[in-house]
Amino acid sequence: MCGFIASFGPDINHKGFEDALDHLKRRGPDAKGIWSKDDVFLGSRRLAIFDLNERSNQPMKSICTRYILLFNGAIYNFKELRKYLIECGVQIKTFSDTEVILELFALEGPKMLQKLQGMFAFVIWDIEKKEAFAARDPYGIKPLYIGSNSKGIILSSQVKTLLSMK
């Protein structure tokens, strides 16, 4: 299992964000990643399963560099979706389900959710539009917690990280 936290809003406490991300260490001991710009902070703790290479670490940026993904879960049909993306001309560089979600979103937008089979929660940041898209599997197997404080909106795969952001 992996863990992530996404924070959107002005005056985010950098130290608070780092501390919140550290709460997720047991969920993702293999890698830690942070992407931030302006009022957006994206952080991930990774448990490497499908593609052990660091090229599959998160936050992951799309090939077109417009989208950034945080993901927790497993996409059971990612090999078929990977093949579909390649047939559509997308140049896939990993063997991870993470990249499949990201590039499928870049290709089809939110309607790509209909193709995903698995348990998942994710957040995708659109750098151009400056907006986030978040989703979880229909059964809620992988949680997606959403909270707010005086500084903005916070999304996470674990409720303790929301509570730790002050």
Side-chain angles (χ1 to χ4, degrees), residues 1-73:
M1 98 183 107
C2 297
F4 65 79
I5 183 168
S7 182
F8 308 96
D11 303 320
I12 298 298
N13 177 341
H14 295 272
K15 174 81 169 102
F17 184 84
E18 288 273 349
D19 291 346
L21 191 55
D22 287 343
H23 282 288
L24 298 171
K25 185 173 184 175
R26 67 175 181 78
R27 294 178 62 103
D30 296 329
K32 174 182 176 180
I34 296 174
W35 181 92
S36 67
K37 183 170 183 173
D38 301 326
D39 297 338
V40 178
F41 291 84
L42 308 175
S44 175
R45 297 297 308 218
R46 180 174 181 231
L47 175 65
I49 295 175
F50 291 125
D51 186 340
L52 305 181
N53 193 297
E54 64 184 42
R55 66 184 170 217
S56 292
N57 287 349
Q58 299 176 45
M60 182 180 280
K61 193 176 270 193
S62 64
I63 292 169
C64 67
T65 70
R66 177 177 175 174
Y67 304 103
I68 300 174
L69 172 73
L70 297 172
F71 165 61
N72 175 34

Side-chain angles (χ1 to χ4, degrees), residues 104 109-117 120 122 133-136:
L104 197 56
K111 70 180 182 177
M112 55 74 83
L113 285 173
Q114 299 169 11
K115 294 182 176 172
L116 299 181
Q117 296 172 9
F120 57 86
F122 63 82
F133 177 81
R136 70 174 192 184

